[in-house]
C-alpha cells in the first residue's frame, strides 16, 4: 500500500478509460473493470502496460481495482497480522489527550517478514518495546488523509510489540467536550468515532476492516466519571476511575470505541439497556423501550445475536452521526429522542449491524454497501415487524426519495454500490447510495425468490461468513453458489452485476407506496392550488413521517406568505422534532423566511449531527446574506462541533 501511494504520478491531467482483461483475481465480465474517474489520477506501476495498448493511454490511466486490497491502510496484514490488542490509556481532560500503551500480539503469515506496519494519525510515539527491549521504528511522512505509517522492526522471535504513545488534542477520531457542552453542564465528556479510518488517530494499529482483533482495555479516568467501550460493560461497576473491558469476539478496528462522562445506566430489557447523562436517562429509556423486541424479532429471522448484551449510549448533541454500531454498545445521537418513537428506525439500524457489518464485515471501504445496504434492508424489515406495514411503507418511500435526490446530484461513478475510492477520503464520499440503493437491490432479490427463501439465504450468509471480512466479489460468488442455483429461473446475474457495478438505477424497481402519503399528497395539492389555506388542512392525525413527506415534496420555491401560512397554522419553526425542524429550516433558508432564522441559528449551534446541519450550511452558502448567517453560526458553533462536522462544513462558510 505504501508502494501504491508513493507511486502517484502527479502530473496527469486527463484520465482515459483503460479496459484491462485477463487479470486473475477479477472476473472478465465484471463491469467494474471499466474504471473511469474524475478524482486525482493514481497509478500503480505494474505489468499493466504489457496488456494494454499504451499508445492510446499516454496521458494517463487508472488501473483495475485490486479486489480486496485496502487502499486506505498502510498496514501489512498479509505478512504480519495483529490478532489481539491490550490497551492501557489514561484519559487526560485537561490536555485533551489519551496517553499510555497498546500491546499488539501478531501472527507472522510470512515467516521471513521482519517488520510490522501500523497506521497512525497525529500520534506522538514515545517508544516501541518487544520482550522488554526497545525496538527500532520509523514514523513515515504523513499523507493528507491516510495518516502516517509506523514501520516497526521486529526482533526475530517476537510475537508482540508494545507502543507507548500520546494522542493529539485534535485527533480526528475523538471529541473532547467541555462541561458546558453536555446536558448536565458539570462534567467533561469524551467519545471516539473510528469509522471509517479514524481509529488510527487514537490507537496505532492495523486500521483496516479486514484485520480483526480481540481486545482488552484499561481506561483510567477522573474518579467521578464512568468509562464505557464497545466491549463487555458492567452496568453495576463501581465508580473508581479504573475501568476494565474485554471484547472476546474478533472485531475490525473501526468498531473499537470508547466514551467517558457523567454516565448512568438504565435497563430496558433482559439484554438491553441505555447509558446516558442523568438528565436524559428516563427519556431515552422510554423512547427506545422497544429495543429488546427488535433484538428478539431480528434473532427470529436471521439467527442468534452473537454479542451477549446490546446496550445504547446516548451521546451529547455534537455526535456527528445518527448512530454508530459499536458492538454491544451502539452510540446514538440524542436528536432522535423525539418523545413519540418516530425516529427509532435508527435503533433498528444500529442493532441490525450486529449481523450485517459487525458479524459479516466489509473487507474494504469500497464494500461498505455490504454493511450499510444489508443493514438498511434489515432495518425496513425490523420496522415492519415491530411497528407494522404502514409505518414500513412510509419509511421506504422516504428512503427512496433520499436515494432519488442523490442519484440526481452525484456523479455517475459515485452512484455505484462497489464504488472506486482509490485516492479519496471515505469521509468525503458519504451518501445514500450504499444504504438505499443497496437495500433496494436486496428487496428486489427478496421479491424475486420470495421472503421466506430470502430470509433463509441471509441467515445462512451471516452464518457462513460470521466474524469474517468479505468483499463484494465474495458475496457475488456466494450468491452464485446458493441463491442463483436454487432460483436460477428467477434471477439474472447480468442484472445483479448492473445493480452492483453500474451507476443509476435499473428499471422495474421494487418500490413501495403508502396510503398515508396519498392523503398528504392530496392535501398538499389543494393547498398549493389555493383551494384551502393551511389551517384548513386536516392534519390532526398526521404522524412525523407524513409531515416529512408533506414538507419534502413542496416545490423548492414558495412565497414568504405561503411559508407564513404554514408556520401560523402548524408552528413549524418551533417543531420539537429535529427532522421536521431540519426540513422546515431548509425550506426557510431557500426562500429566506425570516421568522425562522433565529431558530436556525440556535439549531446550528446546538446540533452537530452532520446529516442535519450540512444541508443547511450548503443551502446558506448559495446567497450572500445566507453565507453571512452561516458563517456567524459556524464560528459560534465550531468549538463545539466534532472534527468531522467541522471538516464537512467549513468549505461552505469560507
Ligand atoms: N456505520 C454508520 C455510520 C458511518 C458510516 C460512519 C460510514 C462512518 C462511515 C451508521 O450505522 C449509520 O449508518 N448511521 C446513520 C443511521 C441512519 C442511516 C439510520 C446515520 O448516522 O445517519
Ligand atoms: Zn449503518
Amino acid at each position: 500500500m505504501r508502494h501504491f501511494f508513493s507511486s502517484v504520478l502527479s502530473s496527469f491531467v486527463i484520465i482515459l478509460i483503460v479496459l484491462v482483461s485477463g487479470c486473475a483475481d477479477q472476473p472478465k465480465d465484471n463491469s467494474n473493470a471499466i474504471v473511469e474517474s474524475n478524482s486525482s489520477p493514481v497509478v500503480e506501476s505494474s505489468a499493466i502496460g504489457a496488456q494494454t495498448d499504451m499508445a492510446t493511454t499516454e496521458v494517463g490511466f487508472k488501473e483495475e481495482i485490486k479486489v480486496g486490497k485496502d487502499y486506505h491502510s498502510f498496514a501489512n496484514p498479509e505478512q504480519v497480522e495483529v490478532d489481539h490488542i491490550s490497551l492501557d490509556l489514561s484519559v487526560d481532560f485537561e490536555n485533551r489527550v489519551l496517553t499510555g500503551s497498546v500491546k499488539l500480539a501478531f501472527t507472522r503469515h510470512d515467516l521471513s517478514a521482519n517488520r510490522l506496519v501500523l497506521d497512525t494519525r497525529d500520534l506522538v510515539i514515545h517508544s516501541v518495546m518487544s520482550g522488554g527491549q526497545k525496538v527500532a521504528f520509523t514514523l513515515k511522512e504523513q499523507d493528507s488523509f491516510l495518516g502516517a505509517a509506523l514501520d516497526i522492526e521486529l526482533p526475530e522471535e517476537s510475537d508482540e510489540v508494545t507502543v507507548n504513545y500520546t494522542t493529539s488534542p485534535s485527533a480526528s477520531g475523538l471529541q473532547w467536550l467541555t462541561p458546558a457542552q453536555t446536558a448536565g453542564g458539570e462534567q467533561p465528556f469524551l467519545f471516539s468515532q473510528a469509522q471509517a479510518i479514524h481509529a488510527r488517530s487514537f490507537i496505532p494499529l492495523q486500521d483496516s476492516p479486514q484485520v480483526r482483533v480481540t481486545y482488552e482495555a484499561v481506561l483510567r479516568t477522573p474518579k467521578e466519571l464512568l468509562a464505557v467501550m464497545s466491549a463487555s460493560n458492567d452496568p453495576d461497576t463501581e465508580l473508581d476511575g479504573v475501568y476494565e473491558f474485554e471484547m472476546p469476539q474478533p472485531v475490525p478496528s473501526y468498531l473499537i470505541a470508547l466514551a467517558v462522562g457523567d454516565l448512568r445506566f438504565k435497563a430496558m430489557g433482559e439484554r438491553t439497556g441505555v447509558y446516558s447523562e442523568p438528565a436524559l436517562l428516563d427519556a431515552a429509556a422510554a423512547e427506545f423501550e422497544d429495543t429488546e423486541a427488535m433484538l428478539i424479532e431480528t434473532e427470529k429471522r436471521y439467527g442468534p445475536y452473537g454479542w451477549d448484551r446490546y446496550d445504547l449510549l446516548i451521546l451529547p448533541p455534537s455526535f456527528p452521526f445518527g448512530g454508530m454500531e459499536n458492538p454491544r454498545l451502539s452510540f446514538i445521537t440524542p436528536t432522535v429522542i423525539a418523545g413519540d418513537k418516530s425516529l427509532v428506525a435508527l435503533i433498528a439500524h444500529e442493532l441490525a449491524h450486529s449481523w450485517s457489518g459487525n458479524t459479516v464485515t466489509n473487507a474494504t471501504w469500497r464494500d461498505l454497501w455490504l454493511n450499510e445496504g444489508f443493514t438498511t434492508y434489515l432495518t425496513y424489515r425490523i420496522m415492519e415487524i415491530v411497528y407494522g406495514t404502514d409505518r414500513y411503507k412510509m419509511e421506504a418511500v422516504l428512503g427512496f426519495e433520499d436515494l432519488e435526490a442523490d442519484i440526481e446530484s452525484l456523479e455517475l461513478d459515485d452512484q455505484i454500490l462497489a464504488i472506486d475510492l482509490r485516492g479519496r477520503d471515505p469521509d468525503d464520499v458519504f451518501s445514500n447510495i450504499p444504504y438505499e440503493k443497496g437495500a433496494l437491490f436486496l428487496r428486489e432479490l427478496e421479491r424475486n425468490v420470495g421472503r421466506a427463501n430470502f430470509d433463509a439465504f441471509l441467515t445462512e450468509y451471516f452464518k457462513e461468513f460470521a466474524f469474517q471480512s468479505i468483499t463484494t466479489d465474495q458475496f457475488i460468488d456466494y450468491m452464485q453458489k446458493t441463491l442463483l442455483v436454487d432460483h436460477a429461473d428467477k434471477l439474472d446475474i447480468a442484472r445483479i452485476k448492473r445493480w452492483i457495478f453500474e451507476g443509476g438505477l435499473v428499471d422495474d424497481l421494487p418500490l413501495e407506496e403508502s396510503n398515508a402519503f396519498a392523503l398528504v399528497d392530496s392535501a398538499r395539492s389543494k393547498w398549493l392550488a389555493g383551494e384551502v389555506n393551511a389551517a384548513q388542512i386536516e392534519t390532526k392525525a398526521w404522524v412525523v413521517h407524513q409531515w416529512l413527506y408533506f414538507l419534502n415534496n413542496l416545490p423548492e420555491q414558495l412565497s414568504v406568505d405561503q411559508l407564513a401560512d404554514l408556520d401560523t397554522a402548524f408552528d413549524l419553526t418551533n417543531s420539537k422534532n429535529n427532522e421536521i425542524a431540519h426540513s422546515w429550516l431548509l425550506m426557510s433558508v431557500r426562500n429566506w423566511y425570516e421568522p425562522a432564522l433565529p431558530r436556525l441559528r440556535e439549531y446550528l449551534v446546538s446540533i452537530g449531527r452532520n446529516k442535519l446541519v450540512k444541508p443547511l450550511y450548503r443551502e446558506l452558502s448559495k446567497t450572500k446574506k445566507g453565507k453571512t448567517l452561516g458563517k456567524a453560526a459556524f464560528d459560534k458553533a465550531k468549538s463545539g462541533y466534532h472534527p468531522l462536522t467541522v471538516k464537512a462544513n467549513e468549505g461552505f462558510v469560507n
Side-chain angles (χ1 to χ4, degrees):
M1 276 148 266
R2 261 174 304 141
H3 170 65
F4 178 81
F5 284 101
S6 62
S7 63
V8 168
L9 302 187
S10 56
S11 60
F12 289 167
V13 186
I14 308 165
I15 303 165
L16 290 182
I17 303 165
V18 176
L19 227 171
V20 184
S21 59
C23 184
D25 58 0
Q26 198 141 9
K28 279 185 193 167
D29 60 343
N30 199 337
S31 47
N32 73 336
I34 302 167
V35 182
E36 182 184 24
S37 173
N38 55 2
S39 62
S40 60
V42 273
V43 176
E44 187 170 22
S45 56
S46 77
I48 193 168
Q51 305 165 350
T52 324
D53 179 7
M54 288 302 285
T56 62
T57 62
E58 265 166 16
V59 280
F61 61 87
K62 223 169 161 186
E63 190 177 281
E64 202 173 346
I65 299 171
K66 287 211 171 86
V67 170
K69 178 182 169 77
D70 186 349
Y71 291 99
H72 294 93
S73 170
F74 293 111
N76 61 338
E78 60 293 340
Q79 297 173 312
V80 180
E81 185 170 11
V82 175
D83 37 44
H84 181 78
I85 73 178
S86 317
L87 284 165
D88 187 331
L89 294 172
S90 294
V91 181
D92 178 349
F93 278 102
E94 205 175 318
N95 295 303
R96 300 194 153 195
V97 296
L98 298 176
T99 190
S101 66
V102 59
K103 178 167 148 185
L104 308 121
F106 52 79
T107 301
R108 289 182 210 232
H109 298 306
D110 172 353
L111 293 178
S112 66
N114 57 5
R115 31 195 2 110
L116 170 65
V117 185
L118 303 179
D119 293 293
T120 74
R121 184 187 292 119
D122 299 329
L123 299 180
V124 179
I125 308 296
H126 305 302
S127 64
V128 183
M129 314 286 292
S130 185
Q133 304 285 314
K134 280 198 172 181
V135 300
F137 67 89
T138 329
L139 192 56
K140 303 277 180 174
E141 203 183 317
Q142 175 121 347
D143 175 272
S144 62
F145 66 92
L146 296 175
L150 175 63
D151 196 330
I152 299 171
E153 277 180 38
L154 297 176
E156 235 164 60
E157 299 287 288
S158 81
D159 57 6
E160 40 86 4
V161 295
T162 298
V163 183
N164 296 300
Y165 71 100
T166 300
T167 61
S168 154
S170 59
S172 62
L174 298 176
Q175 191 180 10
W176 299 86
L177 297 172
T178 62
Q181 293 164 330
T182 67
E186 309 229 313
Q187 298 290 351
F189 202 105
L190 164 69
F191 66 87
S192 67
Q193 165 57 42
Q195 196 180 10
I197 54 170
H198 300 285
R200 63 192 67 177
S201 75
F202 58 98
I203 310 171
L205 41 51
Q206 294 186 314
D207 198 7
S208 168
Q210 47 198 273
V211 178
R212 304 182 83 97
V213 297
T214 50
Y215 77 85
E216 62 200 288
V218 182
L219 295 181
R220 302 170 196 280
T221 74
K223 275 201 171 47
E224 52 295 355
L225 302 183
L226 177 64
V228 290
M229 286 193 82
S230 56
S232 57
N233 288 285
D234 172 8
D236 304 316
T237 188
E238 202 190 319
L239 283 186
D240 61 0
V242 182
Y243 303 99
E244 293 180 9
F245 305 91
E246 217 194 308
M247 173 41 87
Q249 289 94 346
V251 295
S253 53
Y254 77 88
L255 293 177
I256 299 176
L258 60 90
V260 181
D262 183 16
L263 295 170
R264 301 284 188 282
F265 175 80
K266 186 167 178 172
M268 295 190 294
E270 224 171 277
R271 282 182 291 170
T272 55
V274 57
Y275 290 87
S276 82
E277 287 193 68
L280 289 176
L281 195 60
D282 289 337
E287 192 82 18
F288 307 134
E289 66 181 358
D290 301 329
T291 307
E292 187 89 16
M294 292 178 178
L295 175 60
I296 291 165
E297 294 302 331
T298 315
E299 281 187 308
K300 274 194 208 155
R301 264 77 183 179
Y302 303 110
Y305 178 71
W307 303 86
D308 192 17
R309 289 193 57 81
Y310 181 72
D311 294 318
L312 306 175
L313 170 68
I314 311 305
L315 281 303
S318 68
F319 187 60
F321 290 100
M324 178 64 213
E325 66 272 26
N326 297 315
R328 295 180 182 220
L329 183 68
S330 287
F331 284 24
I332 303 295
T333 173
T335 61
V336 291
I337 305 177
D340 57 5
K341 301 184 184 176
S342 55
L343 306 177
V344 298
L346 175 81
I347 306 299
H349 179 99
E350 304 313 335
L351 169 72
H353 270 307
S354 304
W355 285 261
S356 43
N358 300 2
T359 298
V360 182
T361 305
N362 52 212
T364 75
W365 297 114
R366 175 187 188 219
D367 309 302
L368 178 71
W369 76 278
L370 293 178
N371 280 13
E372 299 302 344
F374 281 61
T375 294
T376 302
Y377 171 80
L378 292 189
T379 305
Y380 285 128
R381 296 293 309 282
I382 296 167
M383 291 307 289
E384 178 169 20
I385 293 162
V386 178
Y387 298 96
T389 300
D390 290 349
R391 166 104 175 228
Y392 152 66
K393 287 187 169 170
M394 289 192 286
E395 298 198 339
V397 172
L398 291 173
F400 183 68
E401 290 191 338
D402 288 344
L403 176 60
E404 279 183 307
D406 276 359
I407 295 280
E408 211 148 272
S409 65
L410 292 172
E411 300 273 348
L412 201 60
D413 279 348
D414 285 351
Q415 302 173 15
I416 295 173
L417 284 178
I419 189 174
D420 181 4
L421 288 178
R422 289 176 298 172
R424 301 175 79 184
D425 182 343
D427 289 345
D428 297 341
V429 196
F430 197 80
S431 82
N432 288 301
I433 299 296
Y435 291 79
E436 297 293 344
K437 185 176 173 183
L440 209 53
F441 166 49
L442 297 189
R443 193 185 299 153
E444 172 172 300
L445 295 177
E446 182 207 305
R447 179 184 67 181
N448 291 351
V449 306
R451 182 164 275 193
N453 290 329
F454 194 59
D455 281 355
F457 165 77
L458 285 179
T459 307
E460 267 315 299
Y461 165 76
F462 294 136
K463 211 158 102 191
E464 171 82 13
F465 296 106
F467 299 105
Q468 292 180 45
S469 303
I470 70 163
T471 62
T472 298
D473 288 57
Q474 275 174 284
F475 168 68
I476 295 172
D477 277 357
Y478 181 70
M479 276 216 307
Q480 283 184 306
K481 289 193 204 116
T482 54
L483 217 51
L484 278 147
V485 175
D486 298 342
H487 306 277
D489 51 331
K490 302 195 184 87
L491 297 170
D492 169 12
I493 185 67
R495 181 171 165 104
I496 288 172
K497 287 189 175 175
R498 262 191 283 148
W499 267 108
I500 296 175
F501 297 115
E502 287 182 13
L505 292 170
V506 298
D507 49 18
D508 190 23
L509 293 168
L511 299 182
E512 297 294 358
E513 277 174 36
S514 158
N515 293 332
F517 283 176
L519 286 176
V520 176
D521 280 329
S522 98
R524 191 193 312 99
S525 301
K526 282 193 194 134
W527 179 73
L528 284 170
E531 290 165 30
V532 295
N533 59 36
Q536 289 167 307
I537 306 175
E538 194 49 72
T539 60
K540 267 202 207 72
W542 281 13
V543 295
V544 167
H545 302 78
Q546 287 171 295
W547 280 109
L548 290 173
Y549 183 72
F550 178 79
L551 295 172
N552 294 349
N553 290 288
L554 284 168
E556 297 220 329
Q557 307 306 322
L558 288 171
S559 71
V560 165
D561 284 348
Q562 283 175 307
L563 290 171
D565 184 35
L566 292 175
D567 204 15
T568 308
F570 310 127
D571 200 17
L572 292 162
T573 294
N574 295 310
S575 173
K576 295 266 177 312
N577 186 290
N578 289 308
E579 297 270 0
I580 292 178
H582 171 81
S583 290
W584 174 249
L585 292 173
L586 196 56
M587 205 170 335
S588 298
V589 174
R590 205 178 280 135
N591 295 288
W592 208 251
Y593 173 62
E594 294 199 10
L597 300 182
R599 174 80 207 277
L600 172 66
R601 289 189 192 92
E602 181 236 342
Y603 190 93
L604 290 172
V605 173
S606 60
I607 293 177
R609 179 179 171 191
N610 199 34
K611 183 189 145 194
L612 295 182
V613 299
K614 187 173 171 183
L616 295 170
Y617 280 118
R618 188 194 292 119
E619 196 60 44
L620 283 166
S621 74
K622 293 178 183 168
T623 65
K624 197 157 175 251
K625 55 190 174 181
K627 207 157 180 170
T628 307
L629 190 159
K631 185 164 169 39
F634 188 82
D635 287 346
K636 198 164 163 205
K638 189 178 168 191
S639 67
Y641 282 159
H642 187 279
L644 280 175
T645 302
V646 172
K647 191 173 72 162
N649 293 288
E650 59 193 358
F652 294 125
V653 299
N654 289 320

